[in-house]
């Protein structure tokens, strides 16, 4: 639209309802400035401008006027859209959106909390678990007052931190499995080498030659044979006197005489879970040698082995809270994959290698583990 010039007829303005107030204000301001400029021009000589210059200025004014009108219309459109959105959504709708966002966050927090608990001692660098714990703490603090948008952002942060822990656990388990496979290969190679070096009979029916001097993978136990004990008939629940009601047999193995391996019921349940994880990681069940030991067996072992065996009535085996794996150094010894896995992962199931039984402890026993809950 052009401003009125001398002798021109001003077109009728469109109805006020069809134009935004801001446009009218800016149009009026432009008109006033234009009229004032024309008046000044007339006073100073009016028609000194050339026709081309005047046409150019009028075109610039028209473009500016159109931009002002367009901007005003855009502001009105934005305000109208916001008003319509608020009317449609309403307070109840906004509350519903926030409720859904909070439910999504709560679900993410619950899942991540379970991952955090189950990943203890199953990552090589605990920093990822600490980061997840920090994100969970922040989400718990903000959740009560956070907006729907912030709740969704918190859920995404929790999910991302949990994914880092899941990836770390997967990497740890893969490394453990690879280590176990390498240990199994070494043990197989050692057995094959021992068999190959054993002298063979020179003729049919000749007596077998003695085993070679190198028995590095043979059992380290050289005392008399002892076996795990069944529940004590009429037991009073004291050390070495546990009745059947206090004990449960593990499901996957028995001793060489066919006696089940009994443990206190909670310890047995925890060992079942541990064995499932052990089997998944190393490819075979955990072997057992001794579990519950009654008082009579404790007395016999003390007499045969001396101070190596616990004082009768004080053994952790008498409480049903200890196991011995076979004394096979190439399978369960200090530097084996099985022991590394048990020491690293056993505590997650309540089973530990006590300090006194570790290398450098007061009575090193690589085969001994205890349930601490």
């Amino acid at each position: 639209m052009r401003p009125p010039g001398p002798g021109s007829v001003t077109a009728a303005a469109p109805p006020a309802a069809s134009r935004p107030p801001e446009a009218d204000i800016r149009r009026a301001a432009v008109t006033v400035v234009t009229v004032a400029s024309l008046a000044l021009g007339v006073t100073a000589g009016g028609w000194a401008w050339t026709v081309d210059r005047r046409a150019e200025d009028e075109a610039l004014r028209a473009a500016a006027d159109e931009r002002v009108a367009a901007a005003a219309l855009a502001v009105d459109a934005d305000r109208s859209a916001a008003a319509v959105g608020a009317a449609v959504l309403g307070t109840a709708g906004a509350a519903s959106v926030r409720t859904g966002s909070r439910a999504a966050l709560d679900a993410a927090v619950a899942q991540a909390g379970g991952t955090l608990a189950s990943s203890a001692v199953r990552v090589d660098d605990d920093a990822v678990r600490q980061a997840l714990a920090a994100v969970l703490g922040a989400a718990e603090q903000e959740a009560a007052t956070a907006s729907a948008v912030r709740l969704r952002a918190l859920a995404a942060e929790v999910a991302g931190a949990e994914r880092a822990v899941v990836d770390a656990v997967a990497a740890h388990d893969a490394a453990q499995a690879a280590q176990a496979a390498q240990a199994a290969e070494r043990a197989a190679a050692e057995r094959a080498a021992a068999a190959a070096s054993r002298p063979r009979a020179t003729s049919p029916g000749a007596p077998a030659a003695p085993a070679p001097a190198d028995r590095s993978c043979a059992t380290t136990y050289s005392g008399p044979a002892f076996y795990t004990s069944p529940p004590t008939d009429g037991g009073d629940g004291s050390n070495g006197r546990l009745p059947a009601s206090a004990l449960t047999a593990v499901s996957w193995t028995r001793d060489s005489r066919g006696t089940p391996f009994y443990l206190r019921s909670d310890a047995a349940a925890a060992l079942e879970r541990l064995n499932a994880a052990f089997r998944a990681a190393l490819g075979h069940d955990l072997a057992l040698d001794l579990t519950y030991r009654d008082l009579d067996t404790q007395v016999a072992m003390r007499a045969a082995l001396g101070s190596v065996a616990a004082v009768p009535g004080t053994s952790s085996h008498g409480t049903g809270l200890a196991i011995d794996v076979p004394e096979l150094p190439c399978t369960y010894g200090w530097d084996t994959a099985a022991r590394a896995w048990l020491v690293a992962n056993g505590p997650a199931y309540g089973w530990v290698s006590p300090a006194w039984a570790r290398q450098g402890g007061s009575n090193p026993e690589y085969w001994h583990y205890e349930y601490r809950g």
Side-chain angles (χ1 to χ4, degrees):
M1 177 176 180
R2 296 171 53 186
S8 64
V9 178
T10 303
S18 66
R19 292 199 309 266
E22 290 88 346
D24 286 336
I25 294 171
R26 288 163 176 77
R27 191 178 302 277
V30 170
T31 302
V32 169
V33 171
T34 302
V35 171
S37 298
L38 288 174
L40 181 60
V42 170
T43 303
W47 297 103
W49 286 350
T50 65
V51 172
D52 290 341
R53 176 63 180 273
R54 184 167 55 194
E56 180 181 351
D57 288 347
E58 289 177 351
L60 290 174
R61 291 192 190 98
D65 195 28
E66 290 175 358
R67 287 196 297 271
V68 170
L73 289 172
V75 169
D76 276 359
D78 288 345
R79 289 174 178 171
S80 297
V84 170
V88 172
L89 184 60
T91 303
S96 177
V97 170
R98 189 183 184 283
T99 299
S101 300
R102 177 61 188 271
L105 175 60
D106 289 344
V109 167
Q111 178 173 314
T115 298
L116 184 63
S118 64
S119 63
V121 304
R122 293 186 63 197
V123 295
D124 296 323
D125 183 357
D126 203 54
V128 291
R129 296 184 69 255
Q130 295 174 7
L132 175 57
V135 170
L136 288 172
E140 188 174 329
Q141 288 181 351
E142 291 189 47
T145 58
S147 66
V149 172
R150 180 55 181 158
L151 288 170
R152 290 194 294 273
L154 288 171
E157 292 172 11
V158 169
E162 184 202 11
R163 171 51 55 188
V165 174
V166 170
D167 291 344
V169 169
H172 173 82
D173 289 349
Q176 289 284 324
Q179 185 181 6
Q182 292 172 358
E185 291 176 1
R186 287 196 301 269
E190 290 171 356
R191 289 193 296 271
S197 65
R198 185 177 298 115
R200 299 181 181 274
T202 57
S203 61
D214 182 8
R215 295 177 55 84
S216 60
C217 288
T219 179
T220 54
Y221 179 71
S222 58
F226 292 98
Y227 300 89
T228 198
S229 303
T232 303
D233 290 337
D236 60 7
S238 60
N239 190 302
R241 297 294 186 193
L242 299 184
S245 60
L247 298 172
T248 299
V250 301
S251 63
W252 70 91
T253 186
R254 294 174 174 242
D255 73 7
S256 59
R257 298 195 303 185
T259 303
F261 287 105
Y262 287 93
L263 290 167
R264 201 175 75 181
S265 295
D266 55 339
L271 194 65
E272 292 280 354
R273 295 191 295 271
L274 180 149
N275 182 62
F278 181 90
R279 182 174 59 247
L282 278 74
H284 60 85
D285 287 312
L286 178 69
L288 299 177
D289 184 40
L290 290 170
T291 53
Y292 171 63
R293 185 181 300 153
D294 64 23
L295 189 61
D296 292 341
T297 303
Q298 294 181 46
V299 171
M301 289 188 71
R302 181 73 176 188
L305 304 177
S307 61
V308 172
V311 174
T314 66
S315 172
S316 56
H317 287 278
T319 64
L321 298 177
I323 63 171
D324 287 346
V325 298
E327 295 185 34
L328 297 173
C330 293
T331 306
Y332 291 100
W334 300 114
D335 298 321
T336 61
R339 178 168 176 81
W341 191 96
L342 289 168
V343 170
N345 298 282
Y349 302 91
W351 285 92
V352 303
S353 173
W356 61 262
R358 298 197 179 196
Q359 282 181 304
S362 59
N363 188 25
E365 294 183 358
Y366 63 76
W367 54 88
H368 183 87
Y369 299 87
E370 296 179 358
Y371 181 68
R372 300 290 174 81

